[in-house]
Amino acid sequence: MIKLDRVNKYFNKGKANQIHVIDNTSMTLPDKGIVCLLGPSGCGKTTLLNCIGGLDKVNSGKIWIDNQLITRFSSNKIDTIRNARIGYIFQNFNLLDDRTVFENVAIALRMVGIRDRTVINNRVRYCLEKVGIDQYRNKLAGSLSGGQRQRVAIARAIVKNPRIIIADEPTGNLDSGNTLEIMNIIKTISRERLVILVTHERNIAEFYSDHVAEMKDGRIVKAYNNDSSRYLDYQLENKIYLQDMPVRSEFAKDDLKVSVYSDEERQAEIKVVLRGNNLYIDTGGRLNVVDETANIEMIDGHYTAMDESYFEDKDFNYTAYLPAKYKAKYTSIYKLSNMLSSGWKTVKNFKKVRKFLMVGFVFAAMFAFLAVSNVLGILDVKPVDYRTTNGKYLTIANPEKTDALLEVVEGLDSVTYVMPGETKISISLPMDDYLQTSYASEDLTVSLALSEVLKQDELVAGKMPDDPHDVVIDKSIIDEFLREGLGNAVGLDTPEEFIGRRLSVPNLEDYRICGICETESPSLFIDASQMIYILSNANDVNDEFAFDGGDGEAEDIIKSGKVKDIDLATSEIKVKSGKAPESIYEVMISADHEEEIEIGKTLSVKVAGHKLKLVGFYTSDNAGEDTYYVHADTIRADYIGKQKNFSAYAENPQQLKAILDSENLPSKINDERDRRAYIHQRKDQLTSAIVVAAIIMLISLIEMFLMLRSSFLSRIKEVGTLRAIGLKKKDIYRMFTGEILVITFITAIPGILIMYFVLTQITKITYYLQGLYIVNPFVALATLGVIVAFNLLAGLIPVYMTMRKTPAQILARTDI
C-alpha cells in the first residue's frame, strides 16, 4: 500500500521563480490495479510520480510504501526499498544504448542478488518473450525503434517481480499501434501488481485504469474508481477498414480485378503496370504510393470500438523461472573482483578519438615522474651529502681555552673521547708513483676519528689498524676523489687501489692506508697516540708563538724557531748537555745558544700562556736547525690554547647534548649543524625545483582532470538511468573507480617507464644530476600512487557533484 500525507514539492524554493509543483497532496493507493494520474502538461503528474517512486525528494509531507516512511530515510535506504519493490517505465525509455537488449534487462536481476546465469537467462528470455522482443535480445538497445525500446523497458521493470510499477507516459513517444500493445502488457501486469501510470490521453486512462486521480496545478482535484468495462474508441493508424470508406469502385477484365477505395471523391490518373511479379504504379506525382511493407493492414469490414476482450487473453507469470525462495534484496554489482574488468571493457569500447586523447595521460605521467623524481632528489638529503665530520661528534665551546673543561667532559659516561678543536683537517695523498709525478699530490679533507670507535662490520676492504701509523679511510672520501678524476694520472681507478697508499702530514712520518670503511661520513680513523701530532701539524698552528720579556739573558734568542715534540725527534739530534724534556713546558734548544742562556732559565717564548723552561741543549746533523723540542703535553697545551672549542665523540650525541645543556655548556651536534647548513645552502635550489615541479604536476593533472570530467559528462544519461532503475551511489562510484584505475594503469605505467629509462640514462652523465633526481622503483611507485590518487580525486569529484542530486534531477539535466 502507498500513502501520501500533505506532500509538498517546490522547484527553486525561496527564489523569485519558485514553483509549487505539488501542493499539499494526500492520497492512498491500492495494492494492485492501474492508478492513472491524469491532467494537463505541467500540472505536476511526473513530479508526484517521481516522489512516490523515490526518484525525487519532497520538501514536506510524508510518503509510506508498505508502512515504511520513505521520506525520513536516507537516499541509500530509499534506494534499497525501491530497488526491491519498484520497477520503472519511462517515457524516454532510459535504456543503456551501448549494451544489448539482454544486458539491459539482466542488470535489474543482478541488482537484486541473482547471480545464477541459468536463472538470469531463463527469466530474462521469458520476460522478453512476453513483451514480444526476445528475437532482438542480442541487438544493441540503441539500434531499436521506439516501440521496441519501450518493450525492453517494460521487461526490465517487471523482470525482478516488483510489487509496484511506475510508468511515466509509457506511450508518449509511440504510435497508436504500439500504444495499445504497450498498454495491453501493462494491463496484464496490473492484475496482481500496482501500476501507477501517468498519461495525458484521457481515453486511454478511462479504458485501461482501475482508478483515476485528476491533477491540476499540483493538486489532486478529483479521484475516483474507474469503470473499465466501457469501450475504447481508438482507431489504429495502421488499420484501414474498407467497409467504412465512402467511395468504392471496382474494375474487372478477364482474370484481373481492381478494387479502389477512397475517403472522398477525387480526380486522379493512375497508370498500373503488371509485369512478371512486379507492380508498377504511376500517379504523376500527385499521390504517395504505400505498399504492404509499411505495416498497413486492410480490413474488409467496419471499425468497432474495443472492449475488455482486447486484452483479456494476455497472461504473465510473475514468478516464472525465479528461484523458489526468491526475495529481492539489493546486491552490489560492482565489487573489487569485477571493478577493473568492467572498467577495462568500457575503456576498450572507447571511440578512436577518446583513445587517442588518452595519449595525453601518458605524457602527463612522464612529466609527473620527472617532477616527483626532481623534488625527491633534492629533498633526499643523505648523510654523505652534508657531513663534514664524523656523525657522532659534538662541538663544545671552550672560551677559556683551557684543558680543564676537556677533562670534565671526557669524564662523562656518555663520552668516548674528546679531541681539541675541530676534527676536520687537510691531509696529502702523494702521487709520486712515476718520475713525471714525483711532486704530485692531492689534498683530502677528512674528519679525524680514533680507531677505537671503528667497528669491524663497518670495514668494507682491507684490515683494521695494527700499527700507530695505520689508518682507515672512509669510502665517501675516495668516491669523491675518483668522481673528480684526480687519480687518473697514476691509475687510481677503484677504492681497493687506495689500500697500502701513503698519507702525508708535515713534520710527521707518513701514514699508511690499511683499510676502507663505510660510515657515511668523511672520516679518517687514526691511532689515539697520533691525534695531537696530526692536529697540530696538519693545521700548522705551531709556526707562531707569543714573546714577552724573559729573564734578560734570553732576549736575543732567535725567535723564528718551531716547536716539535721530542718524542718525534729523529736520531739526527743528540742531547749535548742537560736532558730531554720530560714534562709539560720543558724545552730543549740548539747548542748554538749555549752562550746566551743557562739551563734552568725560562725563555721568552710562551706556549698556552706559559713560558718554557730550558732543560737541555742538543746538536743536530742539520746545520742551522733551530727547533724547540718539548714534551707531548706541551704540544697539546699549545694546541688547546689556540682553539675556541673542542669535539666530543659520543655513541648517542642527543643524550650527551641533553647532559651538557643541563650543565649550561653550549654545544652543537655536528650532524644536525651540517644538515641545517646543507639544507640552507640548497634552499633556493629546492624552492625552484618545487615551483617547477608544481607547475609541471599542475599542468599534467589539470589535463587529467579535464579528460576525466569530459568522460564523465558524456555519460550523464547512463548514470541517470542506472540511478533511476535502482543502482546505489556506491556502485556508481565503484563503476567509475574501476574505469579511472584502468585508464590510469594503461597510461601512467608506460609513461613512468619511459621517463624512468630516460632519467636513468641522463643521470649517468654527471654526479650533479644524480643529486637532482632519484630514479628507482620506489619513486616510480610513489609517482604512480600520486597519479592514481589525483585521478581518483579528479575523476570522482564530478561524480560526487552529480550524486548529490536525485535520480530525477540527473535524468532532467539538459546540459549534456
Side-chain angles (χ1 to χ4, degrees):
M1 181 185 70
I2 296 178
K3 181 180 178 181
L4 287 72
D5 181 26
R6 290 170 293 180
V7 173
N8 286 280
K9 172 71 176 177
Y10 297 86
F11 288 158
N12 307 314
K13 187 175 183 181
K15 299 180 181 178
N17 58 343
Q18 174 179 294
I19 302 174
H20 200 172
V21 190
I22 304 174
D23 187 359
N24 204 39
T25 296
S26 299
M27 63 185 300
T28 300
L29 304 181
D31 292 334
K32 62 181 179 179
I34 295 179
V35 175
C36 182
L37 300 179
L38 191 62
S41 297
C43 70
K45 302 186 302 295
T46 296
T47 303
L48 180 59
L49 195 69
N50 287 338
C51 291
I52 294 173
L55 299 180
D56 212 345
K57 295 180 179 179
V58 301
N59 294 105
S60 64
K62 300 176 181 178
I63 299 176
W64 286 269
I65 295 181
D66 291 342
N67 297 319
Q68 295 192 74
L69 183 60
I70 66 169
T71 46
R72 69 177 179 87
F73 289 148
S74 65
S75 60
N76 183 67
K77 179 64 174 177
I78 293 173
D79 288 342
T80 300
I81 294 173
R82 66 190 187 86
N83 183 269
R85 305 186 187 189
I86 304 175
Y88 299 88
I89 306 171
F90 302 96
Q91 177 181 355
N92 295 323
F93 320 125
N94 289 332
L95 300 180
L96 303 174
D97 291 341
D98 58 347
R99 303 190 195 185
T100 65
V101 168
F102 184 93
E103 279 301 315
N104 268 273
V105 179
I107 192 173
L109 281 180
R110 295 191 179 99
M111 283 194 291
V112 291
I114 296 180
R115 293 286 182 266
D116 188 293
R117 292 185 178 181
T118 302
V119 172
I120 292 174
N121 181 70
N122 291 340
R123 177 64 179 179
V124 171
R125 291 287 303 275
Y126 174 77
C127 291
L128 290 175
E129 287 173 1
K130 285 300 178 181
V131 299
I133 202 73
D134 182 55
Q135 65 271 34
Y136 300 114
R137 63 185 177 277
N138 293 322
K139 293 189 68 174
L140 293 179
S143 66
L144 303 179
S145 67
Q148 292 168 337
R149 289 161 66 80
Q150 194 60 287
R151 292 168 189 261
V152 177
I154 293 174
R156 181 182 62 192
I158 63 178
V159 71
K160 60 185 179 181
N161 190 23
R163 293 294 308 164
I164 303 164
I165 303 292
I166 300 290
D168 182 16
E169 296 276 10
T171 61
N173 290 327
L174 305 180
D175 58 29
S176 57
N178 278 310
T179 293
L180 293 182
E181 288 291 337
I182 295 302
M183 287 307 303
N184 286 341
I185 296 171
I186 292 175
K187 184 65 177 179
T188 302
I189 298 168
S190 70
R191 289 173 185 159
E192 296 297 333
R193 298 291 182 266
L194 172 62
V195 178
I196 308 174
L197 174 73
V198 165
T199 185
H200 62 276
E201 297 184 79
R202 180 172 291 275
N203 56 348
I204 290 292
E206 292 178 344
F207 180 65
Y208 284 101
S209 62
D210 299 291
H211 309 274
V212 175
E214 297 189 21
M215 293 188 67
K216 183 179 180 181
D217 297 331
R219 289 176 173 268
I220 295 179
V221 295
K222 185 179 181 181
Y224 53 89
N225 293 329
N226 183 55
D227 180 9
S228 60
S229 64
R230 65 186 71 189
Y231 291 91
L232 176 62
D233 188 6
Y234 196 88
Q235 187 165 336
L236 301 179
E237 297 170 356
N238 67 327
K239 292 186 178 183
I240 300 175
Y241 294 89
L242 300 180
Q243 298 301 320
D244 291 337
M245 302 296 286
V247 179
R248 289 181 291 177
S249 299
E250 291 185 356
F251 305 91
K253 184 177 180 181
D254 299 332
D255 293 333
L256 180 62
K257 182 179 180 181
V258 178
S259 298
V260 179
Y261 300 85
S262 178
D263 56 352
E264 62 181 14
E265 294 284 352
R266 65 183 69 200
Q267 293 182 350
E269 183 179 344
I270 301 173
K271 296 176 183 178
V272 179
V273 177
L274 277 173
R275 188 169 68 179
N277 291 325
N278 295 322
L279 174 65
Y280 301 90
I281 302 175
D282 180 7
T283 67
R286 297 179 62 186
L287 301 173
N288 295 323
V289 178
V290 180
D291 62 15
E292 65 272 13
T293 62
N295 194 30
I296 297 297
E297 183 181 357
M298 297 182 183
I299 300 173
D300 190 9
H302 294 280
Y303 166 75
T304 57
M306 292 174 282
D307 59 14
E308 292 181 354
S309 62
Y310 187 69
F311 53 74
E312 278 185 345
D313 60 339
K314 306 290 184 180
D315 69 296
F316 179 74
N317 186 341
Y318 299 97
T319 60
Y321 300 105
L322 289 174
K325 296 183 180 180
Y326 164 73
K327 184 177 181 181
K329 182 179 180 182
Y330 184 85
T331 304
S332 176
I333 63 173
Y334 290 102
K335 298 181 180 178
L336 186 61
S337 58
N338 67 343
M339 266 183 5
L340 294 179
S341 61
S342 177
W344 168 250
K345 290 178 183 178
T346 301
V347 173
K348 189 171 65 173
N349 292 327
F350 278 176
K351 293 180 180 179
K352 290 183 180 179
V353 175
R354 290 185 67 184
K355 288 181 179 177
F356 177 76
L357 290 175
M358 286 171 60
V359 175
F361 281 83
V362 177
F363 285 103
M366 291 173 61
F367 289 119
F369 181 76
L370 178 69
V372 172
S373 176
N374 187 211
V375 171
L376 291 181
I378 295 175
L379 287 175
D380 181 41
V381 180
K382 299 183 287 292
V384 72
D385 294 330
Y386 65 80
R387 281 181 180 165
T388 62
T389 68
N390 188 286
K392 301 289 183 67
Y393 278 124
L394 287 86
T395 299
I396 304 166
N398 185 19
E400 301 298 327
K401 300 181 181 179
T402 64
D403 197 28
L405 184 58
L406 274 73
E407 292 177 356
V408 170
V409 173
E410 192 167 26
L412 298 175
D413 291 339
S414 14
V415 176
T416 305
Y417 64 85
V418 297
M419 188 175 289
E422 294 283 352
T423 66
K424 186 166 64 174
I425 67 162
S426 180
I427 194 167
S428 294
L429 174 70
M431 294 191 293
D432 52 0
D433 301 51
Y434 307 107
L435 181 62
Q436 297 90 331
T437 61
S438 299
Y439 299 101
S441 67
E442 285 294 340
D443 289 339
L444 305 178
T445 300
V446 301
S447 172
L448 294 182
L450 299 188
S451 301
E452 63 189 69
V453 300
L454 180 64
K455 300 179 178 62
Q456 181 67 45
D457 59 4
E458 293 174 330
L459 199 69
V460 295
K463 65 182 183 67
M464 297 290 280
D466 55 15
D467 184 271
H469 280 75
D470 283 348
V471 296
V472 175
I473 191 168
D474 194 87
K475 187 173 180 292
S476 62
I477 302 171
I478 297 176
D479 288 342
E480 179 69 21
F481 179 89
L482 294 177
R483 275 195 298 271
E484 296 179 5
L486 301 177
N488 294 342
V490 293
L492 274 177
D493 300 317
T494 64
E496 289 74 16
E497 292 172 344
F498 279 74
I499 295 176
R501 295 196 73 88
R502 296 173 294 119
L503 294 176
S504 297
V505 177
N507 304 317
L508 300 178
E509 182 183 340
D510 284 348
Y511 294 88
R512 186 179 68 89
I513 298 175
C514 66
I516 300 173
C517 63
E518 200 158 8
T519 62
E520 295 187 306
S521 63
S523 298
L524 181 70
F525 292 90
I526 62 171
D527 189 81
S529 65
Q530 304 300 305
M531 176 178 67
I532 196 64
Y533 304 139
I534 295 176
L535 284 173
S536 59
N537 286 279
N539 290 329
D540 207 20
V541 297
N542 291 323
D543 288 343
E544 299 178 1
F545 306 97
F547 287 83
D548 60 7
D551 292 336
E553 296 126 75
E555 288 182 359
D556 296 328
I557 286 182
I558 299 174
K559 300 176 182 180
S560 61
K562 291 185 178 182
V563 176
K564 189 172 183 180
D565 183 7
I566 187 63
D567 292 341
L568 301 179
T570 66
S571 59
E572 295 173 346
I573 68 167
K574 294 180 181 177
V575 178
K576 179 180 180 184
S577 61
K579 65 174 183 174
E582 296 175 348
S583 61
I584 192 169
Y585 305 129
E586 292 183 345
V587 64
M588 183 172 67
I589 65 175
S590 172
D592 293 342
H593 301 292
E594 279 184 308
E595 300 299 326
E596 302 171 21
I597 189 171
E598 297 177 359
I599 292 175
K601 297 293 184 178
T602 58
L603 306 183
S604 60
V605 179
K606 280 187 177 182
V607 175
H610 294 78
K611 294 181 179 179
L612 298 179
K613 179 181 179 181
L614 180 64
V615 294
F617 294 101
Y618 68 86
T619 58
S620 174
D621 295 338
N622 297 323
E625 180 178 359
D626 197 21
T627 301
Y628 302 112
Y629 284 99
V630 296
H631 189 268
D633 288 344
T634 306
I635 297 292
R636 175 182 171 86
D638 175 58
Y639 187 76
I640 292 173
K642 293 180 171 64
Q643 307 303 316
K644 295 180 180 180
N645 51 46
F646 62 95
S647 303
Y649 185 98
E651 286 297 332
N652 190 335
Q654 287 77 15
Q655 180 184 16
L656 176 57
K657 180 166 177 53
I659 295 173
L660 295 172
D661 289 345
S662 67
E663 298 295 331
N664 295 319
L665 295 176
S667 65
K668 292 182 180 178
I669 298 175
N670 288 16
D671 192 72
E672 294 178 356
R673 177 200 65 191
D674 291 346
R675 192 175 192 278
R676 282 194 298 270
Y678 180 82
I679 291 174
H680 179 75
Q681 178 186 0
R682 300 190 71 179
K683 184 178 180 180
D684 292 340
Q685 186 181 24
L686 176 61
T687 302
S688 300
I690 290 177
V691 170
V692 172
I695 293 173
I696 293 174
M697 287 288 288
L698 184 62
I699 294 173
S700 301
L701 298 178
I702 286 176
E703 180 191 8
M704 293 178 182
F705 171 76
L706 293 177
M707 291 182 67
L708 291 170
R709 183 176 182 275
S710 174
S711 174
F712 173 76
L713 291 179
S714 68
R715 298 174 61 192
I716 285 290
K717 181 178 180 295
E718 177 187 355
V719 172
T721 296
L722 291 171
R723 287 287 292 129
I725 64 175
L727 195 67
K728 288 189 176 183
K729 294 179 182 179
K730 65 180 181 182
D731 268 350
I732 298 292
Y733 284 118
R734 289 172 180 171
M735 178 178 73
F736 281 97
T737 296
E739 294 176 22
I740 292 169
L741 289 176
V742 169
I743 291 173
T744 301
F745 290 149
I746 65 178
T747 58
I749 292 177
I752 290 172
L753 290 178
I754 291 171
M755 188 55 70
Y756 191 108
F757 174 78
V758 171
L759 284 181
T760 300
Q761 303 308 310
I762 290 176
T763 52
K764 289 179 180 178
I765 298 175
T766 66
Y767 181 73
Y768 173 73
L769 290 176
Q770 292 178 25
L772 291 180
Y773 298 95
I774 292 182
V775 186
N776 57 41
F778 171 78
V779 177
L781 289 174
T783 303
L784 180 61
V786 169
I787 294 174
V788 168
F790 180 85
N791 283 3
L792 286 174
L793 179 64
L796 293 179
I797 283 177
V799 179
Y800 168 75
M801 298 303 292
T802 300
M803 288 302 99
R804 296 172 63 189
K805 303 179 181 296
T806 65
Q809 290 173 324
I810 299 173
L811 287 174
R813 287 190 65 166
T814 58
D815 57 337
I816 306 300

